[in-house]
């Protein structure tokens, strides 16, 4: 295995990922792709529905470098043992929105999507083009298809992507389960398993924008897998850190 070079953009099949607490059926589905799961510690200082979410508690820069919330002690140790460069946030990810969004940014190679005013200092210092948006839960809201293509239900993310030459599919809100909320987000309910393979955490065919999603993924040469007969669920996405080594 080797560290994924570009965050959120694995080339080869993902072998290790940080994943939050979810039901056994979904967890088994994820593991069926050969993905080793490193669990998220509970962050007791944010809303319970997102306290285990990977996209709330971790931000991967790429090449084995990662930033964690201060609550992630077990995760910190587990990643250090793998030889990763692990850092902790200057201040805790805590409180109500948008203070819980310090790490919730979508990094697409040289482009960063998120609400920059709430970002941790290390994210603000990234040498990349920043697409500043109103949506604090930018990573939750962004299904990354490749470095120049995303799916979202957020108008501010759509606008920023169009302005910056990113192919974006705007879908309808809803049809994604998140405990305690009217609905969850597409980014938290999906992840790239490899360069051309998306997995959805539940039955994507039940989403009212499924036909558009299907066409968009095919347009970009991305096949997809999903767990049939399971409600599409926002689990906080995954933070993939290792992939298979090429021969």
């Amino acid at each position: 295995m080797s560290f994924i070079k570009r965050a959120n953009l694995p080339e080869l099949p993902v072998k290790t990922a940080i994943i939050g607490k979810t039901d056994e059926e979904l967890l088994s589905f994820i593991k069926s792709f050969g993905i080793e799961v490193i669990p998220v510690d509970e962050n007791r200082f944010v809303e319970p529905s997102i306290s285990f979410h990977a996209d709330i508690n971790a931000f991967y820069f790429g090449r084995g470098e990662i930033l964690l919330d201060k609550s992630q002690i077990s995760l910190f140790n587990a990643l250090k043992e793998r030889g990763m460069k692990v850092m902790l946030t200057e201040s805790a990810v805590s409180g109500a929105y948008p203070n819980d969004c310090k790490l919730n940014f979508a990094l697409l190679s040289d482009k960063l999507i998120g609400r920059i005013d709430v970002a941790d200092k290390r994210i603000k210092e990234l040498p990349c083009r920043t697409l500043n948006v109103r949506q604090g839960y930018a990573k939750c809201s962004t299904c990354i298809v490749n470095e120049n293509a995303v799916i979202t239900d957020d108008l501010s993310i759509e606008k920023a992507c169009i302005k910056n030459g990113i192919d974006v599919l705007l879908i309808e809100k809803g049809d994604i389960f998140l405990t305690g909320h009217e609905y969850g987000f597409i980014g938290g309910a999906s992840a790239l398993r490899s360069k051309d393979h998306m997995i959805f955490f539940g039955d994507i065919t039940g989403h009212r924008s499924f036909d558009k999603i299907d066409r968009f993924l095919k347009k970009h040469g991305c096949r997809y897998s999903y767990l049939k007969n399971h409600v599409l669920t926002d689990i906080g996405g995954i933070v993939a850190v290792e992939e298979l080594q090429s021969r």
Side-chain angles (χ1 to χ4, degrees):
M1 288 184 288
S2 59
F3 294 130
I4 293 170
K5 294 180 176 65
R6 298 189 298 165
N8 308 308
L9 297 168
E11 289 288 325
L12 300 170
V14 171
K15 294 303 295 179
T16 310
I18 301 163
I19 300 175
K21 187 177 181 181
T22 188
D23 66 73
E24 286 301 320
E25 191 176 10
L26 269 178
L27 199 58
S28 294
F29 171 70
I30 294 167
K31 288 180 177 179
S32 72
F33 295 99
I35 298 174
E36 179 186 351
V37 173
I38 305 178
V40 177
D41 298 323
E42 182 180 12
N43 182 342
R44 298 178 182 274
F45 300 101
V46 298
E47 184 184 337
S49 64
I50 58 173
S51 62
F52 284 97
H53 279 201
D55 54 21
I56 290 289
N57 292 292
F59 179 89
Y60 184 56
F61 294 94
R63 298 184 183 276
E65 187 173 337
I66 195 164
L67 179 62
L68 303 178
D69 175 57
K70 291 183 174 183
S71 64
Q72 301 301 309
I73 304 304
S74 297
L75 181 56
F76 179 94
N77 292 330
L79 297 178
K80 287 284 283 186
E81 288 177 4
R82 289 179 175 271
M84 295 186 69
K85 180 180 178 181
V86 190
M87 300 168 288
L88 296 176
T89 52
E90 279 199 332
S91 58
V93 175
S94 62
Y97 177 88
N99 295 317
D100 55 354
C101 299
K102 289 182 175 71
L103 304 179
N104 207 279
F105 289 76
L107 183 58
L108 288 75
S109 192
D110 63 343
K111 299 173 285 291
L112 180 73
I113 303 172
R115 182 169 165 172
I116 200 65
D117 64 312
V118 300
D120 183 87
K121 178 183 177 182
R122 291 183 181 87
I123 294 176
K124 288 181 179 179
E125 293 173 347
L126 274 172
C128 59
R129 191 191 333 164
T130 300
L131 282 60
N132 192 30
V133 298
R134 292 193 304 272
Q135 175 58 264
Y137 298 127
K139 182 63 165 62
C140 297
S141 302
T142 307
C143 171
I144 298 169
V145 178
N146 59 50
E147 65 180 306
N148 285 303
V150 303
I151 301 169
T152 186
D153 70 2
D154 186 85
L155 288 169
S156 69
I157 292 175
E158 181 202 29
K159 183 179 179 180
C161 287
I162 291 172
K163 185 178 179 181
N164 287 273
I166 298 170
D167 193 9
V168 55
L169 173 67
L170 183 69
I171 61 172
E172 292 189 57
K173 297 180 184 293
D175 299 330
I176 300 171
F177 177 74
L178 177 60
T179 304
H181 294 267
E182 184 180 353
Y183 56 84
F185 298 105
I186 189 66
S190 62
L192 278 175
R193 184 223 170 193
S194 66
K195 183 178 181 179
D196 59 358
H197 186 198
M198 180 80 66
I199 55 175
F200 290 100
F201 309 130
D203 200 335
I204 188 63
T205 65
H207 196 286
R208 69 194 75 182
S209 295
F210 168 66
D211 288 342
K212 291 181 180 179
I213 293 169
D214 176 68
R215 288 195 297 272
F216 189 79
L217 292 174
K218 287 176 179 175
K219 170 186 172 182
H220 287 281
C222 187
R223 61 194 175 94
Y224 59 91
S225 302
Y226 59 92
L227 183 57
K228 296 179 181 178
N229 303 316
H230 188 292
V231 62
L232 187 61
T233 304
D234 181 347
I235 67 168
I238 72 173
V239 176
V241 295
E242 291 178 316
E243 63 185 5
L244 283 174
Q245 284 183 304
S246 57
R247 294 183 178 179

